[in-house]
Structure formats: structure tokens, C-alpha cells
Amino acid sequence: METPALAIRAQRTWDPVAGAVDGPAVVRVRNGVIQEIVAGAEPRTDEALTELGPDETLLPGLIDCHVHLCWDPAGDHVEDFSRIEDAGLEERVRRACAQLLAAGITCVRDLGDRSFVTLKSRDAIATRPWTGPEILTAGPPITPPGGHCWFLGGETTPAHIEASVAARAERGVDVVKMMATGGKITPGSAPHESQYDGATLSRAVRAARHRSLPITAHAHGPDGIRDGVAAGMNGIEHCTFFTSDGIGYDERIVRRIAADGIAVSVPEATWHTTDELPLPPDPRLEGIWSNVVRMHRAGVPISISSDSDISPRKPHGVLARGAVRLTQHGMDAHDALLALTANPAAACGLDHRKARVAPGYDADLLVVKGDPITDISTLLHPVHVLRAGHRVATTAAARVATSNQEEMQ
Ligand SMILES: [Zn+2]
């Protein structure tokens, strides 16, 4: 696909490898890919130049590796999914994609749709990248009959695990998602309780490997986390160590996660009390964030994600608020930025072409006002967003998204 060449002159860039670099530098983009970066260069007279302001920073677009593009945050999920047709879900996905791009999120991994509706959007966006973030998708997650998120249609008994993985591979998913434990939002489901035994998780991992697919496990409870890690999952979603009455932490399991390089994705970015909405503090959430920073210090590659749009507290585009939370809990800004860029790129198997401001990488780029290293909250207000080299709407669209969110409250 031919897209017009463009050049951006930046006074400051941030990149996961190079860190913050003071400019000026000219970043040249052709056919959606960063072609070259020339420090100190003057733009050529024949190129379309975007001149960034002296206090603006160019950085890679953000990656949210745990979203739900076809959900209604305000609804009763069981009832909602029993009623809505696929066309309605597809409309939600389109809306979600605009909101995400406006917030500077240029790549997402959907870890739970119904009817595999996000595959269609993924393929449509691949040919029209300015309409949405690049999508990786799991389709409906694998869960036991009546288990967490059963209403998405992925109910699978242990006997049918291999067939369920094979069916997903045939549909063309990018990743397999399996509900190792219960979850918070399904009536009758308990997050700390395991839903499959270790042997079944291991069979799922083998079946996914056989199809050359990565597999990630939703796991809150310590037993489910331990079994998912022992089974060889590529990723653990949540990893909260929820117990029946609080939050624990298991150093042995965490050491194993770090040693095996298992990607931990923490979908807890949310509106919170220090922002515009006066929500009451949630002690459990504080415990989760402390655990996240502890795991990071133990060497676990942490991705912050959002679980958007599963509740009104988690609208699409809320991701950067997770980075704000991380710094409030003691993580430095560079590492918090990695949790929104390089780490989720690696978790998604896209680190060879995403989340760098470097030649050969996708021109999925974000411009913020200010320096995210000294003030991480600059990420909340993107000035420009480029998706595969295409300028997309930010402020105006973001304003619409924000007012929608406010209505939802
Ligand atoms: Zn989720």
C-alpha cells in the first residue's frame, strides 16, 4: 500500500532502547514505516514536514495488550450478549477503534469477543490502518461450561480442549486466551478459584504450540497462576494473587515467571481518584499495583493493559492512566513507558516492528506536550497520533470520547 512520504522534525524523542534524546532530529516515514532518523538535519524542500513544538515529545504509539472491543461497559454483560446481534458488536468495535487511536493507542490485543467479530475488523484495518489500531485477537476465550465469560461462547469441557484450540486456529486467531481461574465480572464466578486443572492447561499449551499460536491465561488465584506458569503459558493476564479474602503474593511463583520470561499483563488501567472522577479508593486495587511494582523489581516483564470496555471505569483509551499509577507506586517513568510500549510489543510477538522510534519500525507514533519522563501524565493528552504513517484525529475525537465517558458515569 502506497502512502505519502512525510517527515517529522522533533525536538525530543523517547524510544524504549535509546531513552529520551534531545533533538532536533528529522524522522522520515515512507509507506507506513520509519525510513530514517537524521539528527540535526534540515528538512528537504521537497518533503511534507510536520514541525513539532519545542516542548513536544515524539514517542512510539501505545500498545494495549488486553482490551475487549465489542463490549458495552454499562450493561449487564450476560443479558447484553444474549440480545445483541453481530452487526451491533461490529459497530461497537468501529467506535472503540476511533477512541483508541484518539488516545494514542496504535495497537491492541483483543482477549475476548463473541462470534470472532474482531477478526473482521482486524482484516479491514490492515488495509485501512487510519481507521483503527492494529488488532491482534483471540476470539472468544476458552472457559468451562458456565465459567468466567461463558456468555462469549467459548465454553469448553476439558475433554474438548484440543478441538477448541484447533477451531480457533482455523478461524485465524492470533493468540489463544484461556480462563484458568474465575473472574470478577461473571455472576457466580470466583476469581481466586481455578477453573481447569494443571494437566488441562498443559494440554491447551501443547495444542496451541502445535498450531504455532501463543497462548495466554487469565489467572487471578495463586493456584491458577502457578498451574498456568507450570503449563508453559506465554502470558499470564491479571496475576493478582487474589485469595478468598484479599491479595497475596508468592515469591517462588514470581521468580519462576521471571526466569521463564513469561509476559505478565495487568489490565488494571482505570479512572481513579486523582483524576477527574471522584471515585472512592479501592484498597484491593492499591494491593494490585503494589504487587505489580514488586513483580517488576523481581524481573518480570510487565505490560500494563486496560480490560477496556468491560466497565464504565475502563473506557477505551484509559491505558495511559495505568502508567500514572505505576509511577505513583514507585516505578520510574522510563519503566512505566516500557510497560505501555516495548513490553506489550514483546508480549504480542510484535517487537520486531512495533514500539520503537527507529528505522524499519512501523510509523505508529505519538506526540505529547511536555516530557513524559518528568511528567508521565503528558501521555493523557496526545497532540498528534500517526498510525502506519497516517495522521489520525486526536483532540476532537478524544473530546467526544471523554464526554461519552462522563455520560456513562
Ligand atoms: Zn479481559
Side-chain angles (χ1 to χ4, degrees):
M1 181 186 7
E2 277 283 311
T3 54
L6 66 105
I8 303 161
R9 184 156 57 179
Q11 298 300 324
R12 188 191 302 114
T13 57
W14 179 86
D15 170 79
V17 177
V21 178
D22 282 324
V26 174
V27 178
R28 296 202 167 93
V29 171
R30 183 179 280 279
N31 292 329
V33 174
I34 298 171
Q35 205 177 25
E36 62 174 359
I37 302 173
V38 189
E42 288 300 316
R44 294 193 296 256
T45 49
D46 63 335
E47 61 190 3
L49 181 77
T50 300
E51 182 87 58
L52 302 185
D55 193 34
E56 291 179 342
T57 305
L58 177 72
L59 69 159
L62 309 181
I63 299 177
D64 193 337
C65 63
H66 188 145
V67 301
H68 297 280
L69 297 170
C70 73
W71 289 43
D72 171 11
D76 171 324
H77 301 311
V78 176
E79 197 194 310
D80 176 49
F81 280 110
S82 74
R83 274 204 305 225
I84 189 164
E85 306 277 329
D86 289 353
L89 298 179
E90 287 165 12
E91 180 50 36
R92 287 179 186 170
V93 176
R94 272 191 291 278
R95 242 186 355 241
C97 285
Q99 288 180 354
L100 286 156
L101 275 188
I105 296 155
T106 51
C107 180
V108 296
R109 185 171 63 167
D110 188 290
L111 290 183
D113 71 5
R114 196 200 67 193
S115 317
F116 295 90
V117 292
T118 52
L119 273 84
K120 207 165 150 186
S121 313
R122 175 194 70 186
D123 297 344
I125 288 170
T127 58
R128 293 161 57 83
W130 59 91
T131 59
E134 181 162 338
I135 297 175
L136 301 185
T137 182
I142 295 174
T143 197
H148 180 41
C149 289
W150 62 268
F151 45 82
L152 295 175
E155 292 172 288
T156 305
T157 61
H160 294 93
I161 286 295
E162 285 85 358
S164 192
V165 171
R168 279 160 179 72
E170 268 145 40
R171 293 297 292 251
V173 301
D174 304 287
V175 56
V176 176
K177 161 93 175 293
M178 188 161 183
M179 301 300 204
T181 70
K184 292 181 267 188
I185 57 160
T186 304
S189 179
H192 65 282
E193 284 174 5
S194 294
Q195 298 198 133
Y196 289 110
D197 61 20
T200 307
L201 297 180
S202 296
R203 282 171 44 217
V205 170
R206 272 200 301 277
R209 298 260 198 284
H210 179 64
R211 301 278 179 159
S212 303
L213 281 173
I215 177 166
T216 192
H218 158 108
H220 281 292
D223 292 347
I225 296 169
R226 183 200 58 218
D227 291 345
V229 169
M233 292 281 169
N234 300 91
I236 300 287
E237 306 300 314
H238 299 283
C239 209
T240 51
F241 293 101
F242 276 166
T243 59
S244 58
D245 57 355
I247 291 185
Y249 186 86
D250 188 323
E251 231 152 280
R252 243 195 8 215
I253 299 178
V254 171
R255 270 204 301 273
R256 170 90 188 262
I257 293 173
D260 292 357
I262 294 171
V264 167
S265 148
V266 184
E268 296 293 348
T270 182
W271 287 87
H272 54 78
T273 46
T274 56
D275 289 304
E276 296 84 340
L277 288 177
L279 294 169
D282 178 349
R284 213 169 47 163
L285 210 47
E286 296 306 314
I288 293 173
W289 287 114
S290 300
N291 274 355
V292 171
V293 174
R294 230 172 134 183
M295 285 190 281
H296 161 70
R297 291 188 176 138
V300 174
I302 299 285
S303 298
I304 290 303
S305 50
S306 70
D307 241 339
S308 64
D309 223 357
I310 66 158
S311 90
R313 288 178 71 149
K314 298 169 153 298
H316 292 302
V318 78
L319 179 67
R321 284 163 202 276
V324 176
R325 271 302 178 102
L326 283 176
T327 57
Q328 287 167 346
H329 281 82
M331 191 184 280
D332 73 42
H334 178 84
D335 289 346
L337 280 164
L338 294 183
L340 305 185
T341 54
N343 293 353
C348 293
L350 296 173
D351 46 336
H352 58 293
R353 64 177 174 88
K354 294 274 184 211
R356 292 279 323 265
V357 183
Y361 283 76
D362 292 357
D364 287 357
L365 298 165
L366 169 63
V367 176
V368 297
K369 185 150 186 61
D371 180 356
I373 294 296
T374 52
D375 179 5
I376 195 84
S377 73
T378 56
L379 295 179
L380 303 179
H381 307 289
V383 182
H384 305 289
V385 178
L386 275 87
R387 169 73 176 98
H390 297 268
R391 281 276 284 276
V392 297
T394 51
T395 329
R399 217 176 288 131
V400 172
T402 307
S403 62
N404 285 345
Q405 298 323 325
E406 279 160 6
E407 276 162 32
M408 268 185 249
Q409 304 307 312

